[in-house]
Amino acid sequence: MIISTGTASGKSLAYLTPAVASCLDGGTILYLTPTKALAADQLRSLRELRITQLRAACFDGDTPFEERTWVRQHANYVLTNPDMLHRSVLPRHAQWSSFFRRLRMVVVDECHGYRGVFGSHVAQILRRLRRVCARYGSRPTFLLASATASEPGAFAMRLTGLEMDEVTTDASPKGSTTIALWEPPLTELRGEGGAPVRRTATAEAADLLADLVLAEVRTLAFVRSRRGAETVALTARAKLADVAFSLSTHHPRPPTPTDHRPNTTEPTAPADHQPNTVKPTAPADHRPSAAEPTDTAQPNTAEPPDSTHPTPVGLTPTTNHQPSAADPTGPIVRPATPEPSGTPSELATANPTVATANPARAPADPAAGTSAHGGRANQPAPESSLTWALPDAPPKPDWTDLPNKIAAYRAGYLAEDRRLLEKALRSGTIMGLATTNALELGVDVSGLDAVLIAGWPGTRASLWQQAGRAGRDGQDALAVLIARDDPLDTYLVHHPQALFGQPVEAIVLDPDNPYVLGPHLCAAAAEIPLTDDDLPVFGTTTSTVLDDLVSEGLLRRRPAGWFWTKRERATDLADIRGGGGAPIQVVESSTGRLLGSVDEPSAHTTVHTGAVYIHQGETFLVELLDLEAGVALVSSATPDFTTFARDITDISILATQRSHPLGPGTLHFGEVEVTRQVVSYLKRRLQSGEMLGDEPLDLPPRTLRTRAVWWTLPASAVAPLAEAGIDLGGAAHAAEHASIGLLPLFATCDRWDIGGVSTELHADTGLLTVFVYDGHEGGAGFAERGYSRAADWLTATREAITSCECERGCPSCIQSPKCGNGNEPLDKRGAVRLLNTLLSPQ
């Protein structure tokens, strides 16, 4: 069974009820989740039930070794993740025999996170789990829970290999959520080819997070990387520290609205006030524009920069307008340098930050004017607009605690630190939290008012999942999607119809990928020798892959079945969150400390010499990558830049599996061989995105056999373009970059999961050809999805290019940070003409 409904719709209750009942009947439950945070949150909920017979425990990397024996022997509700199931539970299934014999149900929570290569690995792990269960005579029910997904039954069947019923009706009550699409302004900074650079999404998120926390709006900011989450929190804390310094200097006695005193019994809120709504009603603030490129968020600045907020796309500022939870288009409170202290009404006029410390409860002044940006002009506010409580002997204010209202949360923190942060967010001790997607999946952080999403999270499912973190106890909420300097982000903020009223994406995974299936067949044979009866469990390509494994000497065929032949652990063959290959050890050069490992395919782009490497919040610079020794030497550093590897690529067609006409051209899907060589890396300033340099690298080429989608145009179709002065190579190159950026809208992938090649004349086709390929050995299903949605995908690509406001191309439309040719040649106008030709009806 799969339950596929929205956030906070009761999915947890739907599986907890039968799961707890099974435990009371003597059975056991296995709960799988992609993240430790969700497992810890579920464990907290189970313990709050206070049922003696329910012995729930987490079994993950945070579980102390002395507790693991107790969990194996006594727990009847085990919460773990696919990684532990793959590396510990299944290989040691004999130690879990009592648990497996009584296993009644396997709960796979937030299963929409199992996509791409990672999802393909999890699919095979679940098949291995079914084998082990059968060995001990149990046939557990698989119950999957997911945010709303397209074709959930088909996806769940592909994930588990079992027939599925689906529940998709969502009748749960919900408050309204206002979605703002926010595009950072262009700056005066210039990148490659003189292209303008936008202010970074993380800098915008830090500003907004500080503003909202000052307005006492409980906020969660989702950032795509661990370092980004740390940067947003640090920058926002620095802004609040500046405000706290100003307030402590100029306002020794802060006014306090009576309706927001924690222990008051008769608040004097406005009559129309409703609790738990978001109504920011502060004076308009200013955010950097193109004329003010240097006003980026930098930690430890002496004064908060004065800058201008861009208007969120799709929202129009109005005069004399009081925003509400359903319409938060008004200004957000902005720290201003306060005037000397005075009477409450003078303070309300002179220092809007203090006067609207709780904008959710501050009534609007309809007589006040507005600025050109939709905020209030600098006019006096009537003394009656706020009711102040001035105690006879007020305690000395301590503004120094203001920055502590913001923190960062991500994987890599100690378990007890993560639990404390979750508790502080729920209780309101922390008002703002910058996090990676570690808090996206199902963690109960009820009471939030707003969510900031710094950059497109990859799928509509993730977008609604993250936006659903706010308003979880039924109140109205605000969610802001802040666009990055990226073609897909640019397209979405200018085409909101691509988000709203659209079904979420179908989840793409390919369990039959031989490069995924092979390592798991070895692991399964090491657990229990494989027999002919097991072949249907692993898919139709199993027998072919088994023959290859036997020929490679990894398995041995005997009359009783297939056996693992090596002394090494078979599970080490599969890196379920990476791309496979022998891992590269990351070692700190000064101490010899082993920090971690990186799979070999990723090493060329992530731990090349000069790369910025992040491990559990610590930042390192790679001194040397030694591929022969399998080691990358790093040293601790705090650079103010990020690095992006750039490669050059050649591609050859091995087999064409499907083709069909597309306009005057032809669309193809098939197997290809890609030769990639990382040739340099780009350095960009962390806050502004300014390009600092392009450093050369000398790394050997790598060969990748994968799947691709490609389209060709005959000479008769491109000849008119050449006659019109279009640079065909530059046009194809620009179309390739933009199409890579837009494919994640139609296939559940990231642009770093795919690659592309374009050429005016390809050796295998003899025609102008543009390829987009899966960046994983054997393919991951992304290119196949692009083939099936080619018309919609390429149409969106054309619209993304035309809607960008730059003249000749920029990172928001046709430039790519990983282009090995330095984004040359590129022809923006030619790309539009080329795509018009391809999409023209015939």
PDB file of all heavy atoms in Angstrom, residues 281-294:
ATOM      1  N   THR A 281       3.733  44.236   8.870  1.00  0.00           N
ATOM      2  CA  THR A 281       3.242  45.567   8.532  1.00  0.00           C
ATOM      3  C   THR A 281       4.269  46.628   8.879  1.00  0.00           C
ATOM      4  O   THR A 281       3.958  47.642   9.481  1.00  0.00           O
ATOM      5  CB  THR A 281       1.934  45.873   9.281  1.00  0.00           C
ATOM      6  OG1 THR A 281       2.190  45.774  10.686  1.00  0.00           O
ATOM      7  CG2 THR A 281       0.848  44.902   8.920  1.00  0.00           C
ATOM      8  N   ALA A 282       5.507  46.362   8.577  1.00  0.00           N
ATOM      9  CA  ALA A 282       6.552  47.306   8.942  1.00  0.00           C
ATOM     10  C   ALA A 282       6.892  48.203   7.773  1.00  0.00           C
ATOM     11  O   ALA A 282       6.534  47.919   6.644  1.00  0.00           O
ATOM     12  CB  ALA A 282       7.780  46.559   9.410  1.00  0.00           C
ATOM     13  N   PRO A 283       7.615  49.275   7.996  1.00  0.00           N
ATOM     14  CA  PRO A 283       8.018  50.139   6.888  1.00  0.00           C
ATOM     15  C   PRO A 283       8.843  49.391   5.867  1.00  0.00           C
ATOM     16  O   PRO A 283       9.533  48.438   6.193  1.00  0.00           O
ATOM     17  CB  PRO A 283       8.851  51.229   7.587  1.00  0.00           C
ATOM     18  CG  PRO A 283       8.359  51.231   8.996  1.00  0.00           C
ATOM     19  CD  PRO A 283       7.982  49.813   9.294  1.00  0.00           C
ATOM     20  N   ALA A 284       8.781  49.856   4.650  1.00  0.00           N
ATOM     21  CA  ALA A 284       9.496  49.184   3.562  1.00  0.00           C
ATOM     22  C   ALA A 284      10.987  49.260   3.800  1.00  0.00           C
ATOM     23  O   ALA A 284      11.512  50.251   4.261  1.00  0.00           O
ATOM     24  CB  ALA A 284       9.140  49.830   2.232  1.00  0.00           C
ATOM     25  N   ASP A 285      11.640  48.199   3.479  1.00  0.00           N
ATOM     26  CA  ASP A 285      13.078  48.190   3.582  1.00  0.00           C
ATOM     27  C   ASP A 285      13.661  48.250   2.201  1.00  0.00           C
ATOM     28  O   ASP A 285      12.969  48.209   1.216  1.00  0.00           O
ATOM     29  CB  ASP A 285      13.559  46.931   4.304  1.00  0.00           C
ATOM     30  CG  ASP A 285      13.063  45.700   3.610  1.00  0.00           C
ATOM     31  OD1 ASP A 285      11.855  45.648   3.344  1.00  0.00           O
ATOM     32  OD2 ASP A 285      13.880  44.823   3.330  1.00  0.00           O
ATOM     33  N   HIS A 286      14.978  48.315   2.142  1.00  0.00           N
ATOM     34  CA  HIS A 286      15.643  48.453   0.850  1.00  0.00           C
ATOM     35  C   HIS A 286      16.627  47.336   0.674  1.00  0.00           C
ATOM     36  O   HIS A 286      17.352  46.980   1.570  1.00  0.00           O
ATOM     37  CB  HIS A 286      16.363  49.802   0.766  1.00  0.00           C
ATOM     38  CG  HIS A 286      15.412  50.957   0.812  1.00  0.00           C
ATOM     39  ND1 HIS A 286      14.645  51.336  -0.257  1.00  0.00           N
ATOM     40  CD2 HIS A 286      15.083  51.787   1.829  1.00  0.00           C
ATOM     41  CE1 HIS A 286      13.906  52.372   0.076  1.00  0.00           C
ATOM     42  NE2 HIS A 286      14.137  52.659   1.334  1.00  0.00           N
ATOM     43  N   ARG A 287      16.635  46.771  -0.519  1.00  0.00           N
ATOM     44  CA  ARG A 287      17.526  45.663  -0.837  1.00  0.00           C
ATOM     45  C   ARG A 287      18.406  46.075  -2.017  1.00  0.00           C
ATOM     46  O   ARG A 287      18.007  46.891  -2.838  1.00  0.00           O
ATOM     47  CB  ARG A 287      16.688  44.426  -1.191  1.00  0.00           C
ATOM     48  CG  ARG A 287      17.513  43.162  -1.150  1.00  0.00           C
ATOM     49  CD  ARG A 287      16.605  41.964  -1.241  1.00  0.00           C
ATOM     50  NE  ARG A 287      15.767  41.849  -0.063  1.00  0.00           N
ATOM     51  CZ  ARG A 287      16.177  41.332   1.078  1.00  0.00           C
ATOM     52  NH1 ARG A 287      17.393  40.886   1.197  1.00  0.00           N
ATOM     53  NH2 ARG A 287      15.358  41.267   2.110  1.00  0.00           N
ATOM     54  N   PRO A 288      19.608  45.515  -2.150  1.00  0.00           N
ATOM     55  CA  PRO A 288      20.531  45.980  -3.189  1.00  0.00           C
ATOM     56  C   PRO A 288      19.935  45.877  -4.577  1.00  0.00           C
ATOM     57  O   PRO A 288      19.273  44.907  -4.914  1.00  0.00           O
ATOM     58  CB  PRO A 288      21.741  45.038  -3.033  1.00  0.00           C
ATOM     59  CG  PRO A 288      21.635  44.531  -1.646  1.00  0.00           C
ATOM     60  CD  PRO A 288      20.178  44.494  -1.328  1.00  0.00           C
ATOM     61  N   SER A 289      20.154  46.863  -5.376  1.00  0.00           N
ATOM     62  CA  SER A 289      19.744  46.839  -6.766  1.00  0.00           C
ATOM     63  C   SER A 289      20.981  46.712  -7.628  1.00  0.00           C
ATOM     64  O   SER A 289      22.101  46.598  -7.146  1.00  0.00           O
ATOM     65  CB  SER A 289      19.006  48.147  -7.102  1.00  0.00           C
ATOM     66  OG  SER A 289      19.884  49.246  -6.942  1.00  0.00           O
ATOM     67  N   ALA A 290      20.778  46.784  -8.937  1.00  0.00           N
ATOM     68  CA  ALA A 290      21.921  46.670  -9.840  1.00  0.00           C
ATOM     69  C   ALA A 290      22.914  47.805  -9.625  1.00  0.00           C
ATOM     70  O   ALA A 290      24.094  47.684  -9.909  1.00  0.00           O
ATOM     71  CB  ALA A 290      21.430  46.652 -11.281  1.00  0.00           C
ATOM     72  N   ALA A 291      22.419  48.941  -9.120  1.00  0.00           N
ATOM     73  CA  ALA A 291      23.309  50.076  -8.882  1.00  0.00           C
ATOM     74  C   ALA A 291      24.054  49.962  -7.565  1.00  0.00           C
ATOM     75  O   ALA A 291      24.910  50.768  -7.263  1.00  0.00           O
ATOM     76  CB  ALA A 291      22.512  51.367  -8.901  1.00  0.00           C
ATOM     77  N   GLU A 292      23.692  48.973  -6.744  1.00  0.00           N
ATOM     78  CA  GLU A 292      24.337  48.795  -5.457  1.00  0.00           C
ATOM     79  C   GLU A 292      24.831  47.364  -5.306  1.00  0.00           C
ATOM     80  O   GLU A 292      24.363  46.617  -4.465  1.00  0.00           O
ATOM     81  CB  GLU A 292      23.361  49.134  -4.327  1.00  0.00           C
ATOM     82  CG  GLU A 292      22.858  50.563  -4.379  1.00  0.00           C
ATOM     83  CD  GLU A 292      21.766  50.773  -3.353  1.00  0.00           C
ATOM     84  OE1 GLU A 292      20.865  49.933  -3.250  1.00  0.00           O
ATOM     85  OE2 GLU A 292      21.836  51.793  -2.651  1.00  0.00           O
ATOM     86  N   PRO A 293      25.786  46.951  -6.140  1.00  0.00           N
ATOM     87  CA  PRO A 293      26.187  45.541  -6.141  1.00  0.00           C
ATOM     88  C   PRO A 293      26.985  45.125  -4.929  1.00  0.00           C
ATOM     89  O   PRO A 293      27.096  43.957  -4.637  1.00  0.00           O
ATOM     90  CB  PRO A 293      27.035  45.440  -7.417  1.00  0.00           C
ATOM     91  CG  PRO A 293      27.612  46.814  -7.575  1.00  0.00           C
ATOM     92  CD  PRO A 293      26.550  47.766  -7.080  1.00  0.00           C
ATOM     93  N   THR A 294      27.566  46.077  -4.216  1.00  0.00           N
ATOM     94  CA  THR A 294      28.450  45.682  -3.122  1.00  0.00           C
ATOM     95  C   THR A 294      27.719  45.475  -1.821  1.00  0.00           C
ATOM     96  O   THR A 294      28.327  45.128  -0.823  1.00  0.00           O
ATOM     97  CB  THR A 294      29.529  46.757  -2.922  1.00  0.00           C
ATOM     98  OG1 THR A 294      28.882  48.015  -2.616  1.00  0.00           O
ATOM     99  CG2 THR A 294      30.363  46.918  -4.174  1.00  0.00           C
TER     100      THR A 294
END
